[in-house]
Amino acid sequence: LISIFSSMLAGFGIWWFAVTFLILSYYLIKKSLPYTLGWWALVFPVAAFGISFKFLALDLSCAYLCYFVTFLAIIAFVLWVVVFYKTLV
């Protein structure tokens, strides 16, 4: 059950990342992107994506996925710090 659920979350995470990347790149190129509290919505999906890949890596015994999980953890931490700082300011 965990492998099925983590596979579904991994697929959703890939879709979310692609859509978010396209939308953010559009706004960064064409317009300015002001800070709002909605930026917190960027932190959770990256963390959920990383957790699902961690379960997938453990279930499939794929060591190379652990590097991707570490990369996602760093991205989630950086996003969390940036959004937290902007919220405090």
Side-chain angles (χ1 to χ4, degrees):
L1 186 61
I2 290 175
S3 62
I4 293 171
F5 187 66
S6 60
S7 298
M8 289 180 353
L9 279 179
F12 173 72
I14 292 169
W15 173 81
W16 174 87
F17 183 77
V19 170
T20 304
F21 180 75
L22 290 173
I23 291 171
L24 283 177
S25 62
Y26 170 77
Y27 277 104
L28 289 175
I29 292 170
K30 299 290 182 183
K31 302 176 182 181
S32 65
L33 189 63
Y35 174 76
T36 64
L37 288 177
W39 278 38
W40 280 105
L42 294 175
V43 178
F44 172 75
V46 174
F49 192 40
I51 291 169
S52 69
F53 264 96
K54 179 65 174 179
F55 280 119
L56 206 56
L58 291 174
D59 188 47
L60 299 176
S61 300
C62 293
Y64 65 90
L65 282 178
C66 290
Y67 296 116
F68 186 62
V69 170
T70 304
F71 176 71
L72 287 174
I74 292 169
I75 288 176
F77 180 73
V78 168
L79 278 173
W80 190 88
V81 168
V82 168
V83 174
F84 184 74
Y85 172 76
K86 287 189 169 273
T87 301
L88 288 178
V89 170

